[in-house]
Amino acid sequence: MKIINRIGKVLGVGLVFIASSCDSYLDVNENPNNPEDAPISGLMINSTYETAYNQYRVGDITSYYVQYLASPNPGSSGDTMEPVSYGTTWFRLYNVMTDLTIMMDKSEELGANHYTGAAQILMGLNLGMAVDLFGDIPFSESFRFETVTPKYDSDVELYAKVMDFLNQGVQNLQGATTVSMGDDDFIFQGDVDKWISFGNMLKARYMIHQKATSNYNANEVLSAIDNGFSGNADNAQVSFFEQSINPWSNAARNNANLLLDGWISEQFIEALDGTSYPDVDPRLKLMVGTTDDGEYVGTPNGAGRGNAPEQGARSTLIQGQYYTSVTSPLLIATYSEQKFIEAEAAFDVDKARAYQAYLDGIVAHMEMLEVPQAEIDAYLASPAVSMGEAAFTIDDIFKEKWVALFLHGESWNDARRFNYQYKDMTVPANLNPDLGGQFIRRLSYPDSEISRNGNNVPSVTLLDRIFWDAN
């Protein structure tokens, strides 16, 4: 996607549009200076933007669990998998789902089926993120405000709702509409075909999560993929401009200002620098920074930086790279992720397709990062990467998908399904002793939720698994 000053322009246009439009479907407030209701265009602006931010918020938590990032301070609670209260992420997920509930109601009344469909897809995504983090959560009683202590719905039931939202969303996007989306859509700028592809891609994502359950059908996953993304141009993302900075760029800037944010895990460095695997990955230099000596040196998870200074002796996120430029997009779902989903789904039913999808996923991610073609070719020429269909394993898929999902919250779902079996990945130093030497499997419920809805909050431990994490 071409990065332009989209958010600033659309917010400006949107505010004028909301205040001044004479169209009945937007003219919901008699006094625009004292708004009583939100138009669907304004809800679309907020929901697409905040959904991308929610994907970042999840990744900001889970990047330590999958050892992309490591804290420079020993025993940091997130790094060592302590029961942290992630109330802000919980609150933001529910904020977006509340707006989407209103948006669906309004757009259905208007016959604005494309807005309805987009809202349903975003609802499926935000609900799916919440369930993947917390398991059982309040949903069926959460948005009509008939009770301030809503019951908790089971994760199994809620995953069925996720799939219903995605299926209904695709269906509504394929029909006629009274109102068309446009620049109020920060993800696809009103491109309905891309929304349909996005819905199908997410269907594949949430179906592959359930691979260890009786609900799983590989052919259904592959059918969704056949109607999903066709290339990197379809990636679901929200772009930024210089006055609205990508949050990973903020993390990189914090490093430059000695605020100690976004240091790179030793595990991630060694997976790409030729230590854990035979080849040096050409993506490494495009994803993280070097030390002052021009070397890549990670920080051990849980142990901190030791005697290293606050700057210059360890690799960190640095400004100006693909993930960390001021104008870098926040990635929600990518073609490379879809290719690795395809590889996993096809592995037991069509191994030739699986192997080709695995290779295509590597290329798609490298092309997204603008790796030079000669370096792509050299990496693919390695027998450790292009091992041939017969020698190709599920482990190869998960390893390359882990690299391609750098900083993305979806990677934690994969890690749990894969039992964290990435080569040389070990539990962090100073691990939370309640985990008994095991990796974390879920988040604890936020303190705010326990204080206001404690009678309904399930009693859980960090080792309790989401239903799809059955291995």
Side-chain angles (χ1 to χ4, degrees), residues 290-319:
T290 65
T291 66
D292 288 347
D293 294 329
E295 299 177 342
Y296 295 97
V297 180
T299 298
N301 285 89
R305 69 183 188 275
N307 295 323
E310 294 180 341
Q311 197 173 64
R314 296 286 186 269
S315 292
T316 68
L317 294 175
I318 61 171
Q319 289 184 289

Side-chain angles (χ1 to χ4, degrees), residues 406-460:
F406 184 58
L407 303 178
H408 197 286
E410 180 61 19
S411 193
W412 190 38
N413 301 324
D414 284 341
R416 288 178 285 174
R417 292 192 305 112
F418 192 48
N419 273 325
Y420 293 89
Q421 292 174 354
Y422 304 100
K423 189 175 181 182
D424 297 335
M425 182 175 283
T426 58
V427 295
N430 301 305
L431 178 70
N432 170 14
D434 291 339
L435 292 176
Q438 301 180 60
F439 285 98
I440 189 171
R441 292 290 176 170
R442 55 163 300 128
L443 298 187
S444 55
Y445 291 106
D447 293 341
S448 57
E449 179 66 8
I450 294 170
S451 67
R452 66 175 170 239
N453 194 18
N455 288 337
N456 289 323
V457 176
S459 177
V460 298

Side-chain angles (χ1 to χ4, degrees), residues 6-18 45:
R6 189 182 313 283
I7 293 175
K9 290 180 178 179
V10 176
L11 280 172
V13 171
L15 291 172
V16 173
F17 198 32
I18 291 167
I45 289 170

Side-chain angles (χ1 to χ4, degrees), residues 162-217:
V162 168
M163 297 308 299
D164 286 345
F165 279 124
L166 296 175
N167 284 320
Q168 292 165 9
V170 169
Q171 183 176 352
N172 277 309
L173 285 159
Q174 291 171 332
T177 187
T178 57
V179 185
S180 296
M181 301 179 291
D183 280 347
D184 53 354
D185 163 19
F186 282 178
I187 299 174
F188 295 120
Q189 294 72 57
D191 189 321
V192 174
D193 290 338
K194 288 187 176 182
W195 272 103
I196 293 170
S197 297
F198 180 36
N200 282 299
M201 187 277 177
L202 290 177
K203 286 168 60 177
R205 175 191 285 181
Y206 288 104
M207 284 191 283
I208 203 70
H209 289 178
Q210 302 176 72
K211 187 179 177 184
T213 75
S214 59
N215 291 329
Y216 179 74
N217 184 310

Side-chain angles (χ1 to χ4, degrees), residues 1 52 186-188 232 235-239 322 329-333:
M1 177 187 294
F186 282 178
I187 299 174
F188 295 120
N232 282 332
N235 288 350
Q237 60 189 41
V238 167
S239 297
Y322 179 84
L330 276 181
L331 301 172
I332 302 170

Side-chain angles (χ1 to χ4, degrees), residues 28-36:
V28 295
N29 301 308
E30 292 182 6
N31 179 0
N33 295 315
N34 185 25
E36 302 167 356

Side-chain angles (χ1 to χ4, degrees), residues 131 135 155-157 159-160 210 212-213 215 465-470:
V131 174
D155 51 5
V156 175
E157 293 171 344
Y159 245 62
Q210 302 176 72
T213 75
N215 291 329
R465 301 185 181 215
I466 311 304
F467 81 98
W468 47 253
D469 184 15

